[in-house]
Amino acid sequence: MKRAVVVVLDGLRRDLLSAEATPGLARFSASAAFFAEHRSVFPSATRCVSASFATGCFPARHGLQGNSVALMEDGRLAVHDVGKPDFVDHWRAVRGRTLAVPTLAERLAGAGRRAMVFSNVSPGAARAHDPDGHGWVFHRACSFAPGPRRLEGEEAIADITLDTEGDTRLTSRFISQAVRGDAALSLLWLGEPDHAQHEAPLGSPAARAAIAGADACFSRVLEAVEQRRRLGEDILLIACSDHGHQTVTEVVDIDAALASAGLEEGVAVASNGTSALVYLHPDHAARADAILAFLRAQSWAGEVVAGEELGRIGQAPVDALLCAVSMRGDALPNEYGVPGRSAAVGPAQGKADRLGCGQHGGLNPFEQMPFLLIQGEGFTPGREMRVPSCVVDLAPTILRHLGLHHAGCDGRSLQNQE
Ligand SMILES: [Zn+2]
């Protein structure tokens, strides 16, 4: 039986992999292909990446523009946190649908197979994999069986915490229910090291401990996969992250900056960590150029991408999206010698941005540096791949391994690349 198993170590930067820091992944890399040019999407933020992973498409196609987004409701722009458990329900009510293109879960269900997603990040990110309930989604805040049918009690996983201990317990459930079951796609999305890196400096003892914990979870999955292979299963095994991290040097309130210039009316700013999505109500379209000129003149703004140029970063000028701002960064090291710093956008909804700790969301080099290792048919063991790859290539790669077509994806399958 052909199957795919994916383990995501959220927020683990490619340059932080080593024999000392990640011994499990280091051993695995001897028998897997390593994609040295792998990239995230924009925003390089978990909920948006989850939708891009699930669909094989950029946000311009699947429609989930960021980790926080503005929706036009009753003629006004309202900013929403996509991480909340009920965001997709609200999104469906406002838009009449959720994601605009099919997910892996939907494609597999159509072929009579199943996806099982175990996620320990935000509930909204977990639901972005399968918002319409085609497969199984397990999350500490809400779990669903196909239908969707909401799971309660023993069937759900309410006892999981967002830390290494919780990741370890979730890994046990993942191995027993998904890897040792018959799911065509088994996806484990760990909460670490992302969670620790947001609360402690990159390279600090707490951040390094979280990386070691996530690496140990992966090693347990690898062992379980090898057991299944010995039983004759043909398993594609992917270990990856969704984005990297930058050290926060400054927290900027873009709403306040626009207000100080008298440009706030009709504008909605959705903070996405080290980036922002800036929306403009159509009634105020005449001020678009003034707003763009103001943003481009700010010292904290890196790239300001607007209009049709949004296509270059996988976005589109639709649903009142005026521009994307990737905050200015540099390659200087933090106190632990980890390079890559950036300004961040605040106040983020419900999330404190700590100066000196990690953040992501933009286009800077170290946040656009997730890792990717793939082991299985079509991948040369130990080979370092220089071909460009992106999060959107994973769904086509998984579908191809499972013998299913991947028409309609923005990405391409990565098997048999030079
Ligand atoms: Zn993430």
Side-chain angles (χ1 to χ4, degrees):
M1 182 166 60
K2 285 187 181 288
R3 304 177 61 198
V5 175
V6 182
V7 182
V8 180
L9 288 74
D10 197 300
L12 178 53
R13 262 166 61 163
R14 181 160 72 238
D15 64 329
L16 298 184
L17 267 63
S18 69
E20 298 74 36
T22 55
L25 289 170
R27 277 193 301 277
F28 179 59
S29 67
S31 60
F34 176 76
F35 287 80
E37 305 290 337
H38 192 51
R39 283 180 69 84
S40 186
V41 294
F42 178 88
S44 48
T46 311
R47 299 153 207 165
C48 186
V49 177
S50 294
S52 294
F53 173 93
T55 60
C57 289
F58 291 103
R61 293 271 316 286
H62 62 62
L64 189 62
Q65 293 169 317
N67 261 23
S68 76
V69 298
L71 302 178
M72 190 68 79
E73 296 173 50
D74 303 323
R76 298 184 57 181
L77 286 165
V79 175
H80 288 274
D81 178 356
V82 173
K84 292 190 171 160
D86 57 357
F87 170 79
V88 297
D89 305 313
H90 183 74
W91 198 29
R92 186 186 293 106
V94 171
R95 299 278 302 271
R97 60 160 172 76
T98 59
L99 297 170
V101 289
T103 59
L104 282 167
E106 182 174 354
R107 288 170 179 265
L108 292 176
R113 304 195 66 184
R114 287 289 186 208
M116 279 191 133
V117 176
F118 286 70
S119 172
N120 202 21
V121 290
S122 70
R127 295 193 70 188
H129 286 280
D130 185 13
D132 301 314
H134 295 280
W136 299 79
V137 174
F138 293 90
H139 185 276
R140 58 188 186 275
C142 50
S143 297
F144 298 91
R149 175 173 64 88
R150 201 176 178 113
L151 299 173
E152 305 288 348
E154 288 285 293
E155 281 195 305
I157 54 162
D159 58 337
I160 300 295
T161 49
L162 175 48
D163 52 18
T164 295
E165 189 189 337
D167 277 350
T168 302
R169 291 166 70 127
L170 189 67
T171 300
S172 298
R173 285 286 295 260
F174 174 73
I175 289 171
S176 64
Q177 285 183 249
V179 180
R180 293 187 182 140
D182 63 355
L185 169 62
S186 303
L187 169 62
L188 173 63
W189 197 299
L190 300 171
E192 299 289 7
D194 182 78
H195 167 252
Q197 291 175 161
H198 280 295
E199 304 208 330
L202 301 175
S204 66
R208 285 188 285 128
I211 290 173
D215 181 72
C217 289
F218 169 72
S219 291
R220 291 173 58 210
V221 174
L222 173 60
E223 191 181 320
V225 165
E226 283 172 347
Q227 285 175 5
R228 302 301 295 190
R229 284 177 173 151
R230 286 194 285 276
L231 298 174
E233 294 185 353
D234 178 1
I235 298 178
L236 184 76
L237 178 57
I238 299 175
C240 62
S241 54
D242 50 344
H243 52 73
H245 266 256
Q246 308 263 144
T247 296
V248 176
T249 52
E250 177 188 6
V251 179
V252 177
D253 185 339
I254 295 182
D255 288 304
L258 287 167
S260 72
L263 291 170
E264 77 278 22
E265 204 182 342
V267 177
V269 178
S271 166
N272 278 267
T274 53
S275 72
L277 298 170
V278 179
Y279 297 80
L280 180 62
H281 193 286
D283 289 353
H284 300 273
R287 296 217 322 283
D289 288 346
I291 294 164
L292 290 172
F294 174 81
L295 291 171
R296 289 186 169 124
Q298 304 308 306
S299 62
W300 39 259
E303 286 189 68
V304 178
V305 184
E308 294 301 325
E309 202 200 347
L310 284 164
R312 175 172 67 77
I313 59 169
Q315 294 278 352
V318 297
D319 300 326
L321 181 61
L322 173 67
C323 68
V325 180
S326 178
M327 300 298 272
R328 185 174 295 283
D330 61 39
L332 291 174
N334 73 355
E335 66 203 280
Y336 292 95
V338 178
R341 313 184 308 164
S342 176
V345 182
Q349 292 182 336
K351 256 193 186 177
D353 263 311
R354 290 202 197 170
L355 284 172
C357 298
Q359 186 54 282
H360 52 89
L363 295 165
N364 288 291
F366 294 97
E367 56 197 344
Q368 285 287 342
M369 199 187 275
F371 79 96
L372 173 62
L373 286 158
I374 309 183
Q375 181 195 57
E377 192 184 337
F379 296 94
T380 307
R383 170 82 63 90
E384 182 171 311
M385 310 296 293
R386 285 280 157 189
V387 63
S389 64
C390 176
V391 167
V392 297
D393 297 327
L394 296 175
T397 301
I398 291 164
L399 290 166
R400 179 166 167 188
H401 181 79
L402 297 175
L404 301 173
H405 74 81
H406 53 81
C409 293
D410 289 334
R412 65 207 166 89
S413 62
L414 294 173
Q415 281 91 344
N416 305 314
Q417 303 276 337
E418 286 305 315

